[in-house]
Amino acid sequence: MDLVKLVEQEFSTVSEYPKFNAGDTITVSYKIKEGNKERIQKFRGVVIQVRGRENTKTFTIRKMSGNIGVERIFPINSPFIDSIEVNKYGRVRRKRIFYLRDLTGKKARIKEKRF
């Protein structure tokens, strides 16, 4: 067996999260340590991309904070992720929606997926 895969399996944390893709709006509850205190901060935004597989999977979330766009990359196997909640399922035609960075206002809306 490959040595890298063996180490990845050893250090991976197994946790079940809901399935989500690019275009979905999700809320990530993230544990933050400040000194000796620990608190949970919620980061809500649109998933721009999901990349990697299995243990190396990461996803990027973009949100607007005032007039400034903020992006954050989360590893799916991070021990600091408390929970992931899907708020809306969006309908987009691409897996990586970087064009969203240039859009503002009504143009930046994503259609909601119907089931």
Side-chain angles (χ1 to χ4, degrees):
M1 182 174 249
D2 192 16
L3 188 61
V4 175
K5 287 183 182 179
L6 186 71
V7 172
E8 282 179 354
Q9 285 177 357
E10 209 169 292
F11 286 104
S12 69
T13 57
V14 178
S15 30
E16 289 296 317
Y17 297 121
K19 267 194 144 182
F20 56 88
N21 288 315
D24 297 345
T25 304
I26 65 173
T27 304
V28 178
S29 299
Y30 200 71
K31 295 178 191 169
I32 295 178
K33 265 192 164 178
E34 294 173 337
N36 58 357
K37 293 181 184 176
E38 191 175 289
R39 66 183 178 90
I40 294 179
Q41 186 178 41
K42 294 189 177 186
F43 193 91
R44 181 180 178 171
V46 178
V47 178
I48 287 187
Q49 72 171 345
V50 179
R51 68 186 309 179
R53 41 182 130 115
E54 297 165 13
N55 297 328
T56 60
K57 195 173 203 174
T58 61
F59 57 96
T60 306
I61 301 179
R62 179 178 177 85
K63 76 172 185 176
M64 293 301 289
S65 182
N67 285 341
I68 299 170
V70 179
E71 290 184 12
R72 187 152 183 195
I73 300 170
F74 293 98
I76 198 92
N77 285 326
S78 173
F80 297 109
I81 293 179
D82 189 47
S83 65
I84 298 175
E85 176 189 341
V86 179
N87 303 104
K88 279 196 276 185
Y89 290 98
R91 195 180 121 245
V92 292
R93 296 172 71 172
R94 299 184 185 188
K95 284 287 185 187
R96 298 184 178 177
I97 51 175
F98 296 131
Y99 64 85
L100 205 64
R101 293 173 177 163
D102 300 328
L103 303 178
T104 57
K106 286 187 175 180
K107 292 179 182 177
R109 286 186 297 185
I110 296 175
K111 291 182 180 178
E112 201 166 339
K113 192 185 286 186
R114 292 186 179 165
F115 292 103

